[in-house]
Amino acid sequence: MEVLIDILYLFKFIFDFLFITYAIVIIITYIILAIISGLALRAYLKKNKNVNYNSIISTPLAPSISIIAPAYNESVTIIENIRALLSIFYNDFEVIVVNDGSKDDSLEKVIKAYDLVKVDFAVNYQVNTKEVKGVYKSKNKSFEKLTVVDKVNGGKADALNVGINISEKDLFVAIDVDSIIEPDALLKLVKPFLDETDKKIIATGGVIRIANSCLIEGGHIVKVNAPKQFLPSVQVLEYTRAFLMGRMAWSKLDGLLLISGALGLFDRNIVIKAGGYAHTVGEDMELIVRMRRYMCENNLQYRVEYIPDPLCWTEAPSSLKILGRQRNRWTRGTIDTLKIHKKIFFNKKYGRMGTLGYPYWYFFEWLAPLVEVLGFIYLIILSFFGLVNWPYFILMLFFVYSFAMAFSSWALVFEELTFHKYEKKTDIIKLFITAHLEPIIYHPLTLIWAVKGNIDYFRGKTGWGKMERAGFKKKLNNIKK
Amino acid sequence: MQLLLSFMDNKIFNYLNDAFNRLPDNALNNIFILIILYFFLSFLILLVFILVRRIYSVYLKRRKRAVFNYYQNILSKYIFDESYKSMAYSIFSKAESAFDKDILIDVLYNYHIKFEGAHQKILKTIYKELQLNQLSFEKLKSKNWTTIVKGIQEISEFNIKAENKKILDLLNHKNNIISFEAQLASIKLLPFVPFAFLDNLERPFTKWEQINVYDLIKSKNIEVPDFRLWLNSKNDTIVEFCLKMIQIQKQYGSEKEIIDLLDHKNQQIRKECIKTIGVLDIKSANELLIKMIPNEDYIVKCELIKAIHQINEKIDLNLYTELLNSNNYSVKKEICYALRDNINYGPFYLAEIYEKTDDDILRQIIKHVFDSKIKV
């Protein structure tokens, strides 16, 4: 019996040690990343303070760009969103909308609105895709930059690959057709490509912001408001933390593994050489990792850059069901990418991606929620045996809670000192209150979704899950009411 | 089990276990309580910081705007009506604080960009007579690179040539942004040799710098140099830029130098060179371009076919037929475009191929090139 108790204490010691070490490492990592991000943000703003992006608009010296927008059942917003894309500031660009076998009347609406006719377009199948049913161009000269492709449904990655095959420009932007792109987004995204010296820029990404409750007119954000509902509000904090305090640092450290699928600019040739988008639910992250692998394996010097300017606005899920599906998908996408590219785990050959970026995603993006849930189960077991030091536990709980709050507050300070998008004082106070509630109400849900995502992944679930959006147009009407 | 028991007897385990158990609970708890308090306090302080900062920045913005508008109104009156001169000078000379003087320079600078001729002269006179140029010179000595950049921009905008030497010294500054601003300034300040900086530039001349130089040439009507002068530069980015400028400015007379670059080891330069031959319609290069086709990769091949197509010289039908049977989509498409536009026999030849070929891709490409709704 004594031996058994000793063993129990041994396990308790090991687990206590592991959990505490893990928590300390993760907190220190977050703090280091936040500091690096802060410095990188400061340098970026200083460098670009007086940049006149307008000189790119009319120059024949800038690279040409294709905007590729996959669309699936986007009938509510597609007309307005295409109009917004066509009005983007850039000289040599085209818009390729890929209708991925929509079941609604998206295609019919677009054909009618933009006066489209089917053309004899010979698709260059550089990346394998599902069948293209037709390519459409406008009879109206005002829309000559627009190409609409109708294809058999094959998912977002397949639709993007079709866009890549249709495009003949130097670079391409992958966007979600239901996102709102800032008119100067391309000018800012292309800037790192123009600054290229000895290292080839293969991709740039921008910050994605939440558009819920914002005032939108003609496909553009007219007034930025903090979301009225709790769930989108909490996502504002999440996005601000991730983009301003995380990815900025990873770009600086040259370990960035993800450029959001909602907006990213890529070197088309490198993407084709790397094999295009893979058929996975985390196609955005997987592409960056594969492009980086391609460059490393061919001994080519490269960089993936990140732009902290808010360039793209998206509608965040406001229902638990939809948000849960989205997070489930993100978890599956992360695991899939990590699994496909397990070769780079702590592999020096892949530079900082192998020694820093990949291990971070492995331990802190994939495993963190699982460790947290395990910790909770461990707590239940210990309390069953009466081994919990409750005052100490409460102290730890307060420690973690206060850290989460302080971290979110810093994210809001970063936002305030940089882009200052939430002008109303009440918006800032609202977001601070949300930061209070997030660890108690929202965080446990993210753990459940992450665990479910893990279970679904290992049970072989590969679908995207149905994503319903209210549509900005409808939202605008609601705001006006 | 034995292993576990032996591990429990292990010295390291005992040491760690003791260390963990002997942690001074009170001290550790106090540390945690302090950290928690710090986090909570920082939460409150940051909220107050944001709110106070907002109030201050609104105040600062309003103050700046008020001073800016005040100076702007007076300047507008003076520019369009000489009788306001003494009033304007008496008000401007009262600007003593660095804050006021900086805003005054901003107002003059913005107007100087917008206006031309006599108005520009008035603005420059005010800038010099109030000795605001001294402030700009002082900025060149700053340790802050953004202040140096501002100084360079002001001096070059007002075309103050007295400090040319200082600006030229900054051409090789280790900070690329300062060096780039100095390049732009030297274009404005050195009327006889505005592009002299291209002679000594060793680091890559980035696309962003190229775009800004081009923009400056356009907006300030700067006399365009003969870009052929730098076609032998050792800096490939300068050669590439010059080839692009020769295309844009349609600078004829550099045929020999361009043809000489066709065997350049840098593929990007070869590509740009071929493009230039097409744009300048250098017919004498046709034979050479045809000879290059078999030895180049598909990217350069496409440029070669395009250039030959552009200069509209005779084509090698046997070679083109051979290339139509190649596996490369882009090459096939360029050949089809070239044949389509060859009014003598091209369209008929393509129609014949369309009927005879088993290559579905080629058939699709032929249909593609004849579809007038698809713009190239």
Side-chain angles (χ1 to χ4, degrees):
Chain A
M1 191 61 191
E2 259 181 42
V3 171
L4 268 177
I5 290 169
D6 280 348
I7 292 171
L8 197 65
Y9 272 101
L10 170 70
F11 277 114
K12 183 181 178 296
F13 168 76
I14 293 169
F15 276 107
D16 283 354
F17 183 76
L18 285 178
F19 280 122
I20 288 175
T21 310
Y22 187 86
I24 289 170
V25 172
I26 206 168
I27 284 174
I28 291 172
T29 309
Y30 283 157
I31 292 171
I32 293 171
L33 287 176
I35 293 168
I36 297 170
S37 278
L39 295 172
L41 266 172
R42 191 167 159 262
Y44 174 85
L45 291 174
K46 217 171 156 188
K47 186 183 167 193
N48 293 287
K49 195 175 142 193
N50 293 317
V51 164
N52 175 18
Y53 289 98
N54 289 338
S55 55
I56 306 174
I57 296 179
S58 57
T59 186
L61 300 172
S64 55
I65 298 179
S66 296
I67 301 173
I68 304 176
Y72 179 71
N73 292 348
E74 306 281 358
S75 162
V76 182
T77 55
I78 197 159
I79 304 297
E80 201 170 331
N81 288 334
I82 292 176
R83 203 175 298 280
L85 291 178
L86 289 169
S87 66
I88 270 177
F89 302 155
Y90 202 74
N91 181 20
D92 189 355
F93 82 102
E94 62 174 350
V95 176
I96 300 171
V97 177
V98 186
N99 177 44
D100 189 27
S102 294
K103 286 173 188 157
D104 63 7
D105 59 346
S106 303
L107 183 67
E108 291 72 24
K109 271 187 168 179
V110 175
I111 289 174
K112 200 176 164 201
Y114 293 100
D115 212 2
L116 302 177
V117 284
K118 206 169 184 174
V119 292
D120 289 319
F121 199 101
V123 183
N124 183 9
Y125 285 94
Q126 297 164 93
V127 184
N128 284 334
T129 63
K130 291 211 170 172
E131 186 201 342
V132 170
K133 291 199 280 189
V135 177
Y136 297 82
K137 296 287 289 181
S138 180
K139 285 188 277 182
N140 186 337
K141 269 203 157 187
S142 317
F143 306 127
E144 68 179 7
K145 284 183 187 296
L146 176 66
T147 303
V148 175
V149 188
D150 185 29
K151 67 176 281 285
V152 173
N153 181 264
K156 190 181 172 187
D158 198 60
L160 285 165
N161 284 337
V162 165
I164 292 168
N165 287 340
I166 296 283
S167 158
E168 286 189 333
K169 307 281 186 191
D170 306 319
L171 311 172
F172 77 88
V173 175
I175 64 149
D176 285 342
V177 77
D178 52 6
S179 297
I180 293 171
I181 309 294
E182 290 282 334
D184 60 355
L186 290 196
L187 305 177
K188 287 182 174 167
L189 275 177
V190 83
K191 176 78 178 3
F193 284 89
L194 304 176
D195 284 332
E196 182 181 288
T197 50
D198 50 337
K199 288 184 178 177
K200 189 170 180 61
I201 303 294
I202 58 168
T204 55
V207 168
I208 315 296
R209 291 296 183 97
I210 305 290
N212 302 48
S213 301
C214 292
L215 188 61
I216 298 147
E217 275 172 19
H220 298 294
I221 299 279
V222 179
K223 174 100 183 88
V224 177
N225 296 311
K228 287 179 181 137
Q229 292 167 293
F230 175 72
L231 275 184
S233 257
V234 89
Q235 289 171 80
V236 167
L237 288 178
E238 269 188 319
Y239 277 50
T240 312
R241 282 196 307 261
F243 287 102
L244 293 187
M245 294 175 90
R247 290 193 199 172
M248 201 62 207
W250 283 114
S251 171
K252 181 80 187 159
L253 292 170
D254 196 20
L256 190 67
L257 295 196
L258 173 63
I259 280 179
S260 171
L263 181 71
L265 180 62
F266 303 88
D267 184 305
R268 199 174 69 90
N269 272 330
I270 300 294
V271 172
I272 290 168
K273 282 175 183 165
Y277 283 92
H279 292 263
T280 161
V281 287
E283 82 295 328
D284 44 6
M285 181 179 171
E286 204 282 331
L287 178 71
I288 293 295
V289 177
R290 200 144 33 83
M291 284 172 81
R292 296 186 71 134
R293 268 190 77 169
Y294 170 82
M295 298 302 281
C296 289
E297 285 163 4
N298 289 283
N299 294 319
L300 300 166
Q301 295 285 310
Y302 74 98
R303 272 195 73 81
V304 175
E305 287 284 341
Y306 203 72
I307 310 292
D309 294 84
L311 302 178
C312 174
W313 299 79
T314 188
E315 185 192 355
S318 49
S319 86
L320 282 176
K321 204 169 130 190
I322 306 293
L323 184 60
R325 277 183 202 154
Q326 186 196 54
R327 298 310 157 98
N328 181 310
R329 197 181 73 234
W330 286 4
T331 304
R332 285 183 287 125
T334 303
I335 306 170
D336 209 22
T337 305
L338 293 174
K339 204 175 150 196
I340 294 167
H341 301 284
K342 59 185 177 215
K343 189 183 170 187
I344 59 180
F345 191 42
F346 280 121
N347 190 336
K348 274 186 190 170
K349 185 182 166 189
Y350 297 100
R352 291 195 181 152
M353 169 174 70
T355 52
L356 281 177
Y358 187 103
Y360 172 85
W361 273 83
Y362 190 92
F363 289 115
F364 299 144
E365 293 288 343
W366 175 34
L367 291 184
L370 300 181
V371 171
E372 234 179 297
V373 172
L374 273 179
F376 187 69
I377 295 166
Y378 177 62
L379 177 78
I380 294 170
I381 295 169
L382 286 189
S383 64
F384 182 75
F385 287 103
L387 292 171
V388 181
N389 178 343
W390 287 107
Y392 196 70
F393 167 74
I394 290 166
L395 197 66
M396 284 293 115
L397 203 64
F398 266 102
F399 174 72
V400 173
Y401 175 71
S402 61
F403 171 75
M405 259 176 22
F407 200 66
S408 292
S409 316
W410 273 107
L412 292 173
V413 171
F414 274 37
E415 152 62 19
E416 180 69 16
L417 294 175
T418 53
F419 302 106
H420 186 62
K421 284 289 170 186
Y422 297 101
E423 286 177 355
K424 281 195 274 178
K425 284 189 202 90
T426 47
D427 279 350
I428 281 291
I429 294 168
K430 199 193 287 176
L431 290 171
F432 263 83
I433 294 169
T434 310
H436 259 298
L437 301 174
E438 185 194 358
I440 309 162
I441 302 172
Y442 179 71
H443 186 68
L445 293 171
T446 61
L447 296 182
I448 295 167
W449 294 326
V451 170
K452 199 164 178 303
N454 273 276
I455 294 167
D456 285 348
Y457 178 80
F458 289 107
R459 284 168 73 180
K461 186 179 171 184
T462 52
W464 268 60
K466 204 176 166 193
M467 295 294 290
E468 288 151 6
R469 293 187 194 260
F472 292 125
K473 200 173 172 184
K474 200 173 147 194
K475 282 200 165 299
L476 177 60
N477 293 337
N478 292 342
I479 292 163
K480 280 178 177 170
K481 276 176 200 169
Chain B
M1 187 60 73
Q2 281 299 319
L3 192 72
L4 271 175
L5 292 172
S6 67
F7 177 69
M8 286 168 71
D9 278 337
N10 185 295
K11 276 183 187 169
I12 300 170
F13 170 76
N14 287 336
Y15 173 78
L16 286 173
N17 197 21
D18 284 352
F20 194 73
N21 289 331
R22 284 179 200 165
L23 275 174
D25 273 356
N26 290 336
L28 194 68
N29 291 350
N30 285 342
I31 290 170
F32 273 115
I33 288 167
L34 280 176
I35 295 174
I36 291 166
L37 274 175
Y38 166 75
F39 283 150
F40 270 108
L41 270 176
S42 70
F43 179 83
L44 289 173
I45 291 167
L46 293 176
L47 176 61
V48 173
F49 166 76
I50 289 179
L51 296 176
V52 170
R53 191 184 170 275
R54 283 201 166 184
I55 293 165
Y56 179 68
S57 62
V58 167
Y59 159 76
L60 204 65
K61 214 185 256 175
R62 275 190 197 154
R63 203 179 138 208
K64 265 187 186 169
R65 200 184 301 143
V67 178
F68 192 92
N69 289 344
Y70 178 60
Y71 286 151
Q72 195 168 261
N73 283 339
I74 293 160
L75 197 61
S76 308
K77 281 176 185 165
Y78 170 36
I79 283 177
F80 298 108
D81 187 347
E82 276 278 325
S83 64
Y84 283 95
K85 185 178 177 180
S86 59
M87 185 194 87
Y89 267 89
S90 75
I91 289 170
F92 292 153
S93 56
K94 278 178 196 160
E96 282 185 349
S97 68
F99 179 85
D100 286 350
K101 279 183 179 172
D102 260 350
I103 293 177
L104 182 55
I105 293 177
D106 282 348
V107 173
L108 291 167
Y109 181 88
N110 287 340
Y111 267 38
H112 200 268
I113 291 172
K114 282 179 200 158
F115 290 110
E116 282 179 352
H119 295 324
Q120 262 195 351
K121 266 188 186 169
I122 293 174
L123 295 162
K124 188 175 171 178
T125 310
I126 299 171
Y127 176 73
K128 283 176 86 173
E129 284 183 1
L130 293 175
Q131 294 194 321
L132 296 172
N133 52 345
Q134 293 303 327
L135 280 180
S136 302
F137 297 150
E138 284 302 312
K139 285 178 187 165
L140 296 184
K141 294 175 196 160
S142 169
K143 283 181 183 166
N144 184 339
W145 67 264
T146 53
T147 312
I148 300 176
V149 165
K150 204 156 184 269
I152 300 173
Q153 285 171 341
E154 286 164 9
I155 292 167
S156 68
E157 180 57 41
F158 289 106
N159 214 359
I160 309 295
K161 296 193 169 94
E163 293 294 317
N164 273 355
K165 172 84 177 62
K166 278 184 188 162
I167 302 269
L168 290 177
D169 287 346
L170 294 171
L171 278 171
N172 293 315
H173 198 282
K174 59 177 189 273
N175 181 323
N176 285 354
I177 298 174
I178 293 179
S179 146
F180 161 60
E181 284 299 335
Q183 283 167 19
L184 294 182
S186 72
I187 295 173
K188 289 187 211 167
L189 298 172
L190 302 174
F192 301 112
V193 280
F195 293 88
F197 72 91
L198 290 176
D199 294 340
N200 304 314
L201 191 67
E202 285 175 7
R203 62 175 175 79
F205 187 37
T206 66
K207 287 235 165 57
W208 174 246
E209 292 170 338
Q210 296 177 19
I211 286 169
N212 278 278
V213 168
Y214 174 67
D215 195 45
L216 194 66
I217 293 173
K218 266 198 324 181
S219 61
K220 299 277 174 189
N221 290 325
I222 285 163
E223 198 181 328
V224 182
D226 187 346
F227 283 103
R228 134 181 88 159
L229 292 172
W230 293 280
L231 286 182
N232 292 323
S233 169
K234 283 178 185 168
N235 186 334
D236 286 359
T237 53
I238 291 179
V239 179
E240 200 186 328
F241 170 69
C242 290
L243 284 168
K244 278 182 182 158
M245 294 311 290
I246 289 171
Q247 287 169 38
I248 294 167
Q249 303 292 337
K250 295 264 183 339
Q251 288 189 337
Y252 295 97
S254 45
E255 287 83 352
K256 190 189 168 301
E257 288 83 352
I258 293 169
I259 290 171
D260 284 349
L261 283 174
L262 278 173
D263 56 1
H264 200 282
K265 60 180 188 305
N266 183 331
Q267 193 199 59
Q268 191 56 34
I269 291 182
R270 286 204 306 279
K271 209 177 127 188
E272 215 50 62
C273 203
I274 296 161
K275 241 188 215 173
T276 317
I277 288 172
V279 172
L280 298 187
D281 200 14
I282 306 174
K283 295 195 189 311
S284 57
N286 194 51
E287 288 299 319
L288 203 55
L289 297 184
I290 292 173
K291 269 185 199 166
M292 281 173 75
I293 292 177
N295 306 320
E296 292 286 357
D297 78 349
Y298 86 96
I299 297 172
V300 183
K301 264 194 183 105
C302 288
E303 282 308 327
L304 286 164
I305 299 159
K306 261 188 221 168
I308 296 166
H309 180 190
Q310 244 172 320
I311 57 183
N312 206 15
E313 275 291 275
K314 64 167 187 180
I315 56 172
D316 184 337
L317 199 57
N318 288 334
L319 179 66
Y320 277 23
T321 310
E322 198 182 306
L323 289 170
L324 277 177
N325 294 321
S326 72
N327 287 326
N328 192 283
Y329 169 97
S330 305
V331 173
K332 281 181 183 180
K333 198 153 104 178
E334 283 310 326
I335 298 276
C336 286
Y337 274 122
L339 286 169
R340 182 199 68 179
D341 293 343
N342 188 307
I343 44 162
N344 294 329
Y345 52 85
F348 304 106
Y349 188 61
L350 279 177
E352 205 182 307
I353 290 172
Y354 184 81
E355 291 301 323
K356 286 180 184 169
T357 186
D358 296 329
D359 182 349
D360 281 344
I361 295 169
L362 182 57
R363 286 165 68 93
Q364 279 170 26
I365 292 172
I366 294 171
K367 277 170 84 177
H368 179 118
V369 300
F370 279 107
D371 193 326
S372 58
K373 292 182 288 293
I374 304 170
K375 295 269 182 307
V376 186

